[in-house]
Amino acid sequence: MNDLQAAKQALRQVAIARRQGLDPSACGQALAGHVMRDCPLSPGAVVAGFWPLEQEIDLRHLLRELHGRGHPVVLPVTPRRGEALTFRRWRPGDVMLAERFGTMRPVGEPMVPDVLLIPLLAFDAAGWRLGYGGGFYDRTLAGLPGRFRLGCGFAAQQVDAVPIGPYDMKLDAVATEQGVMRFET
């Protein structure tokens, strides 16, 4: 393991510990209010969300709100390692299929998002994000230039600096239960 990988792995452990004891549902509801107020979307914009893993901030309230306002909502399909994510349409009440890494995906039709709500383990004030280490979102963002990239997590996951490598992709903003932070990209 090189120095960058070791630094990222150490920060992942810190970030996972920071979210212990937080209420994913209550914080997710607060996040939804901030996003709906502070991140106006174009009518009909396709929004990619994510189904929360254990202890991740719960976006389901936001996903239902976006759906109710007429936005097609899509969720990622977990590909093989080394590939970008694809997305399938989700509607409240849809059947969800279990995938690798504990993720869930809908069975709806494939769609390409205009806006991406991105899970994170840590983020910094410059807009850098630390994920789980698979590179799925970095590959996906590289293939979808110009899309609005909104990291979603707990305020406690903010760190002084995220170690970055040549393939890491910067966020446009981060939403937490405390508000929305925008970054220069």
Side-chain angles (χ1 to χ4, degrees):
M1 183 180 297
N2 67 33
D3 291 344
L4 176 62
Q5 291 171 323
K8 286 185 174 191
Q9 191 56 35
L11 185 54
R12 284 186 184 98
Q13 298 308 311
V14 169
I16 288 170
R18 285 185 177 190
R19 65 185 188 190
Q20 295 302 311
L22 299 176
D23 184 336
S25 180
C27 290
Q29 285 187 354
L31 177 147
H34 297 303
V35 170
M36 296 307 293
R37 182 189 66 227
D38 298 335
C39 297
L41 302 177
S42 300
V46 178
V47 180
F50 58 90
W51 206 255
L53 296 173
E54 185 177 341
Q55 292 303 308
E56 279 185 334
I57 198 153
D58 189 344
L59 290 191
R60 290 177 286 195
H61 181 78
L62 177 58
L63 299 178
R64 288 188 295 272
E65 181 80 19
L66 291 165
H67 172 79
R69 292 195 183 184
H71 292 284
V73 174
V74 296
L75 299 177
V77 175
T78 306
R80 293 189 305 255
R81 284 206 181 268
E83 295 181 5
L85 300 169
T86 58
F87 299 88
R88 291 190 170 269
R89 186 152 189 184
W90 170 85
R91 294 174 181 91
D94 276 0
V95 170
M96 299 290 287
L97 301 177
E99 293 198 299
R100 298 177 315 141
F101 312 117
T103 60
M104 302 290 288
R105 74 161 177 92
V107 295
E109 67 272 16
M111 296 180 82
V112 177
D114 301 305
V115 174
L116 293 103
L117 308 177
I118 303 168
L120 51 81
L121 284 175
F123 67 95
D124 64 25
W128 295 106
R129 161 196 176 269
L130 179 70
Y132 291 92
F136 295 113
Y137 275 95
D138 292 318
R139 281 184 204 85
T140 302
L141 295 174
L144 295 172
R147 302 326 198 266
F148 185 69
R149 300 167 294 199
L150 179 65
C152 297
F154 298 102
Q157 292 174 283
Q158 185 172 358
V159 297
D160 290 335
V162 169
I164 57 170
Y167 300 108
D168 291 323
M169 300 294 293
K170 198 170 180 184
L171 300 169
D172 295 304
V174 167
T176 72
E177 74 278 10
Q178 293 182 3
V180 175
M181 299 171 58
R182 292 188 180 267
F183 311 111
E184 301 261 342
T185 55

